[in-house]
Amino acid sequence: MGFYLSKSRTVMHNLKPKLGSLGVMFHQSSGIASFYHHQESQSGLIKNLGAGSCNRPTLFTIWRSEHFKAEKQLDCKQNCGGPQVLNFPGGNVKFTSELDFLPEGLEERVHCYRILDENGQLTSSNFVQCFQISDELAVRMYTYMAMLQTMDTIFYEAQRQGRISFYVTAIGEEAINIASAAALQLDDPVFPQYRESGVLLWRGFTLQEFANQCFGNKNDNCKGRQMPAHYGSVKHNYFTVASTVATQVPHAVGAAYSLKMDRINACSITYFGDGGTSTGDFHAALNFAAVMEAPVIFFCRNNGWAISTPVGDQFRSDGIVVRGQAYGVHSIRVDGNDALAIYSAVRAARQMAITEQRPVLIEALTYRGGHHTTSDDSTRYRSAEEIEWWRVAQCPVSRFRKWLEKEGWWNSDAETELRASLRKQVLHAIQVAEQVEKPPVADIFTDVYDAPPSNLHEQETTLVEAIEKHPKEYPPNFSC
Amino acid sequence: MAAIVQGIGATAAPSASSNKFLLSSLGSSLLEKKRNFFVVRSDGKCYTGLNQQQRRAQNVVTNAVATKEEKASAAVGSKPGHELLLFEALREGLEEEMDRDPCVCVMGEDVGHYGGSYKVTKGLAEKYGDLRVLDTPIAENSFTGMGIGAAMTGLRPIVEGMNMGFLLLAFNQISNNCGMLHYTSGGQFKIPIVIRGPGGVGRQLGAEHSQRLESYFQSIPGIQMVACSTAYNAKGLMKAAIRSDNPVILFEHVLLYNLKERIPDEEYVLNLEEAEMVRPGEHVTILTYSRMRYHVMQAAKTLVNKGYDPEVIDIRSLKPFDLYTIGNSVKKTHRVLIVEECMRTGGIGASLTAAINENFHDHLDAPIVCLSSQDVPTPYAGTLEEWTLVQPAQIVAAVEQLCL
């Protein structure tokens, strides 16, 4: 809000200051004083999980199409303020004569929203009333959590056996993956980091397609271009994983902007870890989303570790949830190992993001059960006891199963049958993928641009000639 | 890359016979005036204008102009086209594309209400609304990333770097995402983004604001780079860049924004991969782009007086190079001089030298000479700054040396 004050006065006269859209809606003439007032009344909304929203929907249509004259803001100096208050852009600020610094954090850490405890018991009866999860949906969620677990375990072993070169597991984060995906619609674009293959799994990417990508074979929909676990699928609205950290966070804001422009009833979601929140991209993306009132969900998987860097070395704030307020973004902390909490939080966030056209930040506290990737050995920097405790006592999959069993929707026979079937399916997918040949040489040069330019044609010819001349120097199944 | 056909109105066909018809119908006084209708406003140096009647590069003949401003009253009614400044031409191209396609949007710092620090987006926010002409907070990497996300979900954003140098902050997004995601996704997601901004050495803007980024970005696979130098090609390249499905970086120059030129009223779109023949000749091929084009044309005046006949080509397409036009020229003149504003090490000239040597070695009678700025940050003092740039006198000396 205050950025234009740094410019010269002549510029300011020409500038039309951008007052908050809320000021546009409710107080057309008195500008910024009203902005902050309205802000405060919005904070009660977060408790109304299912209640929908107030006046904000109409904002959608007239937001940012109004312009204000500089003079209107200057008028305010006479009307508002006084000796106690500074009429500053953004709202009135009360003076104080106490030399008091804000503490670095609240006395108590922000509470963590949870529905199921470790034993699969509901901690609140409200839940059942607010969010009717059918047995069908719950069993489906469990099936996919088990599928993700199986896929991760077997693919990890395949890497250890040398059959694939690299893999990223989401062990310990199955609830985050599946429950958040279940709360979204296919219209919501997903911008993942790399530990969210469960979201793609939920949306319908088959085990065979996963295997094909990991083996980088001819049937890979990414044409062998990316490392294993860097999935992407336009028909599942899941944007291709890039290895760069947190670059997807501003992409999600851009996608939200696109949805807003096209007035589509959807929101974008992006996932990132605790480490990713240290990047400049994270900061600016949250800031942008707040300023632009973009319908985006920022989902932080705070799993305690960024490779070998524990969160204590990553930041000194109370996790990520407190940062939302710094940017003017509604935020919540949830138990990342509780599928029901995640499901309800994401559903509420989606509703808020779309109907109120605002970003929402969700911090899920969880634990990275596996290594960072197959190129890491986490026992080198953390104790085996710690890993064991989280994997056993806090396992999201077993917790959810216990709840299902209590509800009478699952039993040990079904469990055995499911696990056997899943294992068979995953192994089969790997076996098939391993046999398929790799993409042809021509795929090195396509998709760099919409059509290959002359220099790439030349380079392709040179390479093909080299292969034909010295076939023994190149891999045997390297076809042209 | 798909070639973009130049959309030209029926009246302005590029054949010689129709030219004569047009010229004779407008009267002989106009014939003389036609070559003198451009004025340099920005740096006081003379430069040549384009012959309005001819679109195809080969037939363009240009002359150095008089320094007097054209009298608008003289031929307003009878002259085709309309006059404007280069930044207005950019804006016109932008506006036409925004009218044509509702997915086109602009984002950058101060592009909305302020109208852009070089006024390229002036008036657009009032016309299209704050959402389509978006003012962003100061985070180049992030708003470029935002543009990439928007492009992948169906919009056609134009990201403006207030100064090209600021886009160094966006390098990660440009290199690792913009250039790559179409490829790594197996062609599933396309990124039809245009990244543009003023660069080059200005008037004592200091080292950080005198960056020439074309040399840093030229290696990035997946992007295209073009540099505009006249109002005519600025508008045409802007439109072509917006219509292209590939990510395109459009390099503008801080000192060229106030160049005045008469451009056609009819809609036209230029080819992103084509070079522009500024002055055909026989003795030497001078390859240049952006502001150095004007230094070259200044030197060309002197060279012509000294009896040389230089062929001047504005390469325009920095990635990929138009080796067809360049090759034809080299085969004709057998001597090449490259004049560029970027630094010697790893510059556009270095790549161009390599490309020409590789492809046309047998046609060269002399080693390629490349005149570039020195490998120093641009100093602030006016005299020092001037000496870091290639000046016309050096160009003349280099040609004389080359043509010995």
Side-chain angles (χ1 to χ4, degrees):
Chain A
M1 266 296 176
F3 58 86
Y4 53 80
L5 284 186
S6 59
K7 297 198 164 90
S8 72
R9 255 186 303 135
T10 45
V11 168
M12 223 173 101
H13 282 302
N14 297 328
L15 268 182
K16 294 168 190 179
K18 286 177 286 202
L19 300 176
S21 49
L22 300 166
V24 172
M25 263 295 285
F26 299 102
H27 302 276
Q28 296 248 346
S29 56
S30 60
I32 47 178
S34 53
F35 169 83
Y36 234 3
H37 174 74
H38 187 79
Q39 267 277 282
E40 278 151 26
S41 68
Q42 287 290 315
S43 59
L45 196 68
I46 193 154
K47 300 192 186 81
N48 306 333
L49 286 177
S53 73
C54 56
N55 308 310
R56 295 272 318 243
T58 42
L59 210 117
F60 190 24
T61 49
I62 70 168
W63 178 77
R64 283 188 172 268
S65 56
E66 306 259 344
H67 296 271
F68 293 90
K69 302 264 186 276
E71 302 83 71
K72 275 202 182 129
Q73 189 222 333
L74 296 170
D75 271 349
C76 215
K77 279 202 177 115
Q78 277 80 50
N79 302 334
C80 328
Q84 259 43 28
V85 165
L86 175 64
N87 178 4
F88 198 80
N92 285 343
V93 180
K94 287 208 180 102
F95 290 116
T96 169
S97 50
E98 304 264 332
L99 178 56
D100 249 339
F101 288 84
L102 289 177
E104 74 269 21
L106 302 168
E107 266 178 39
E108 213 183 328
R109 291 192 71 170
V110 170
H111 295 169
C112 181
Y113 171 63
R114 165 196 257 205
I115 299 289
L116 285 179
D117 67 13
E118 289 94 340
N119 299 318
Q121 294 273 34
L122 285 174
T123 57
S124 130
S125 52
N126 269 353
F127 181 77
V128 181
Q129 289 144 23
C130 290
F131 288 93
Q132 248 86 24
I133 293 194
S134 65
D135 55 333
E136 211 182 302
L137 179 60
V139 169
R140 183 160 196 260
M141 279 168 65
Y142 179 72
T143 308
Y144 276 82
M145 283 166 76
M147 203 187 299
L148 178 60
Q149 225 181 19
T150 311
M151 186 174 87
D152 275 352
T153 313
I154 296 179
F155 274 61
Y156 178 85
E157 283 166 17
Q159 193 277 342
R160 283 287 178 252
Q161 290 165 9
R163 292 159 86 182
I164 53 176
S165 61
F166 174 84
Y167 194 69
V168 180
T169 65
I171 303 288
E173 299 181 42
E174 294 85 356
I176 290 174
N177 271 250
I178 303 299
S180 66
L184 299 165
Q185 304 288 325
L186 191 57
D187 274 344
D188 302 324
V190 173
F191 289 85
Q193 178 73 67
Y194 49 43
R195 222 178 283 283
E196 300 90 11
S197 34
V199 176
L200 188 54
L201 188 62
W202 178 268
R203 285 195 167 182
F205 207 59
T206 64
L207 289 171
Q208 192 60 62
E209 288 176 298
F210 277 106
N212 289 338
Q213 200 282 337
C214 287
F215 281 91
N217 64 30
K218 210 175 60 177
N219 297 335
D220 171 20
N221 74 337
C222 296
K223 302 183 191 167
R225 304 264 174 74
Q226 255 295 12
M227 289 180 81
H230 287 60
Y231 314 108
S233 176
V234 64
K235 68 178 200 245
H236 299 103
N237 223 350
Y238 187 93
F239 284 73
T240 307
V241 174
S243 308
T244 44
V245 177
T247 50
Q248 73 281 5
V249 189
H251 293 177
V253 178
Y257 168 73
S258 176
L259 294 172
K260 193 184 178 76
M261 286 261 276
D262 291 342
R263 296 175 201 253
I264 291 177
N265 189 5
C267 72
S268 65
I269 185 168
T270 178
Y271 298 83
F272 44 88
D274 38 284
T277 65
S278 297
T279 62
D281 275 355
F282 165 81
H283 152 78
L286 251 77
N287 194 32
F288 278 44
V291 168
M292 270 152 233
E293 299 175 8
V296 52
I297 299 176
F298 294 105
F299 198 110
C300 176
R301 298 176 289 96
N302 184 347
N303 61 19
W305 294 92
I307 309 188
S308 68
T309 307
V311 288
D313 287 345
Q314 192 68 249
F315 43 70
R316 286 301 162 91
S317 52
D318 171 18
I320 314 307
V321 62
V322 291
R323 300 195 195 172
Q325 198 166 45
Y327 297 107
V329 173
H330 276 337
S331 37
I332 188 171
R333 168 172 277 162
V334 309
D335 182 343
N337 294 346
D338 176 354
L340 294 183
I342 294 168
Y343 178 81
S344 48
V346 174
R347 254 188 70 179
R350 180 177 190 272
Q351 172 83 343
M352 224 191 300
I354 295 174
T355 54
E356 296 173 44
Q357 290 290 298
R358 56 155 76 237
V360 183
L361 171 64
I362 300 177
E363 177 188 18
L365 299 182
T366 181
Y367 191 79
R368 193 191 75 210
H371 307 301
H372 169 68
T373 60
T374 49
S375 313
D376 173 47
D377 173 15
S378 59
T379 55
R380 294 210 325 232
Y381 49 80
R382 52 187 195 176
S383 71
E385 291 85 38
E386 180 189 303
I387 305 174
E388 255 325 277
W389 183 78
W390 280 91
R391 274 178 87 140
V392 174
Q394 304 289 322
C395 176
V397 186
S398 27
R399 189 191 295 197
F400 198 57
R401 184 179 66 241
K402 287 177 187 157
W403 178 66
L404 283 185
E405 285 170 347
K406 287 192 172 60
E407 294 291 314
W409 299 336
W410 198 251
N411 56 51
S412 54
D413 286 338
E415 176 72 11
T416 321
E417 201 185 310
L418 176 68
R419 293 286 176 170
S421 161
L422 289 174
R423 189 174 165 82
K424 205 164 135 199
Q425 286 174 55
V426 174
L427 285 171
H428 176 75
I430 292 183
Q431 274 152 19
V432 170
E434 210 165 19
Q435 301 306 320
V436 177
E437 58 183 8
K438 302 301 182 204
V441 169
D443 273 350
I444 295 177
F445 301 98
T446 51
D447 299 321
V448 182
Y449 297 98
D450 52 2
S454 58
N455 63 327
L456 286 189
H457 274 309
E458 238 179 77
Q459 289 167 15
E460 187 179 351
T461 312
T462 313
L463 180 59
V464 167
E465 274 168 16
I467 296 171
E468 281 169 356
K469 219 165 162 186
H470 310 276
K472 294 207 167 65
E473 307 289 327
Y474 291 89
N477 51 358
F478 212 34
S479 64
C480 293
Chain B
M1 274 156 288
I4 298 174
V5 175
Q6 297 179 0
I8 307 158
T11 49
S15 65
S17 53
S18 64
N19 281 337
K20 281 202 206 109
F21 171 78
L22 274 166
L23 292 174
S24 60
S25 71
L26 292 172
S28 55
S29 61
L30 200 54
L31 195 63
E32 275 132 27
K33 279 232 173 66
K34 127 176 113 69
R35 295 181 172 198
N36 298 336
F37 51 108
F38 302 121
V39 166
V40 175
R41 302 275 213 83
S42 62
D43 55 3
K45 292 202 166 68
C46 297
Y47 77 102
T48 60
L50 267 180
N51 184 334
Q52 264 320 107
Q53 317 308 330
Q54 281 151 330
R55 310 285 179 259
R56 286 303 295 172
Q58 285 88 312
N59 298 330
V60 168
V61 177
T62 52
N63 279 358
V65 337
T67 46
K68 251 171 52 172
E69 200 179 310
E70 181 200 11
K71 298 281 180 284
S73 53
V76 145
S78 43
K79 271 213 186 134
H82 55 285
E83 222 172 47
L84 40 51
L85 305 181
L86 194 146
F87 77 87
E88 291 169 337
L90 285 167
R91 191 195 325 144
E92 211 174 77
L94 190 45
E95 203 169 333
E96 281 175 17
E97 290 306 298
M98 288 180 85
D99 276 336
R100 178 179 175 269
D101 183 355
C103 292
V104 178
C105 56
V106 180
M107 48 184 83
E109 292 157 15
D110 300 308
V111 295
H113 293 283
Y114 191 57
S117 45
Y118 290 93
K119 294 175 281 191
V120 174
T121 52
K122 194 174 162 111
L124 297 182
E126 280 83 12
K127 184 172 173 188
Y128 299 105
D130 288 357
L131 204 49
R132 244 179 119 184
V133 184
L134 195 64
D135 274 330
T136 61
I138 306 174
E140 280 75 10
N141 206 31
S142 297
F143 65 70
T144 306
M146 207 180 119
I148 292 168
M152 289 199 286
T153 38
L155 293 184
R156 302 188 85 93
I158 292 133
V159 171
E160 173 173 312
M162 194 189 275
N163 185 287
M164 266 285 166
F166 305 167
L167 291 178
L168 286 170
L169 291 154
F171 211 115
N172 187 24
Q173 287 285 354
I174 294 172
S175 168
N176 276 323
N177 291 330
C178 183
M180 263 188 215
L181 281 168
H182 186 247
Y183 185 76
T184 57
S185 68
Q188 293 184 85
F189 300 103
K190 67 175 188 192
I191 305 170
I193 195 175
V194 176
I195 298 172
R196 49 159 291 268
V201 176
R203 292 251 175 272
Q204 298 188 267
L205 297 177
E208 300 92 333
H209 292 77
S210 309
Q211 294 276 28
R212 286 135 279 175
L213 254 47
E214 51 270 22
S215 25
Y216 306 148
F217 287 153
Q218 62 175 323
S219 265
I220 301 174
I223 55 148
Q224 269 187 264
M225 307 196 319
V226 287
C228 62
S229 49
T230 67
Y232 177 76
N233 65 34
K235 179 177 172 183
L237 290 174
M238 169 72 93
K239 288 169 73 85
I242 294 172
R243 293 189 195 188
S244 168
D245 275 349
N246 297 314
V248 179
I249 305 187
L250 171 59
F251 290 89
E252 299 153 15
H253 196 287
V254 277
L255 293 181
L256 298 184
Y257 279 128
N258 289 325
L259 288 182
K260 192 188 242 192
E261 189 178 340
R262 183 167 285 272
I263 65 169
D265 288 328
E266 314 83 53
E267 194 184 22
Y268 67 94
V269 179
L270 293 177
N271 188 327
L272 286 175
E273 295 113 37
E274 234 176 52
E276 190 179 311
M277 178 66 71
V278 183
R279 181 191 190 283
E282 299 288 327
H283 292 164
V284 61
T285 298
I286 307 183
L287 303 172
T288 181
Y289 65 93
S290 193
R291 183 168 168 239
M292 287 297 111
R293 166 193 178 129
Y294 298 99
H295 282 205
V296 168
M297 288 315 292
Q298 168 95 353
K301 253 189 1 176
T302 315
L303 286 168
V304 164
N305 290 339
K306 290 191 174 194
Y308 294 95
D309 186 21
E311 176 154 293
V312 179
I313 296 176
D314 181 338
I315 62 174
R316 254 173 30 192
S317 175
L318 304 179
K319 185 180 171 79
F321 294 130
D322 178 2
L323 288 177
Y324 179 73
T325 307
I326 294 171
N328 284 345
S329 180
V330 174
K331 288 173 188 168
K332 183 168 64 165
T333 66
H334 312 294
R335 288 176 163 76
V336 178
L337 170 66
I338 300 171
V339 179
E340 57 170 0
E341 201 174 311
C342 52
M343 279 73 78
R344 165 56 62 83
T345 303
I348 296 289
S351 302
L352 194 48
T353 303
I356 297 172
N357 270 327
E358 234 170 61
N359 290 289
F360 309 114
H361 183 261
D362 291 337
H363 298 277
L364 289 170
D365 284 349
I368 299 173
V369 176
C370 182
L371 298 178
S372 350
S373 293
Q374 304 88 343
D375 291 315
V376 299
T378 308
Y380 168 78
T383 42
L384 297 183
E385 182 185 71
E386 209 174 289
W387 294 333
T388 64
L389 293 175
V390 179
Q391 299 297 339
Q394 292 163 285
I395 302 172
V396 170
V399 169
E400 288 179 324
Q401 183 73 13
L402 202 46
C403 294
L404 272 178

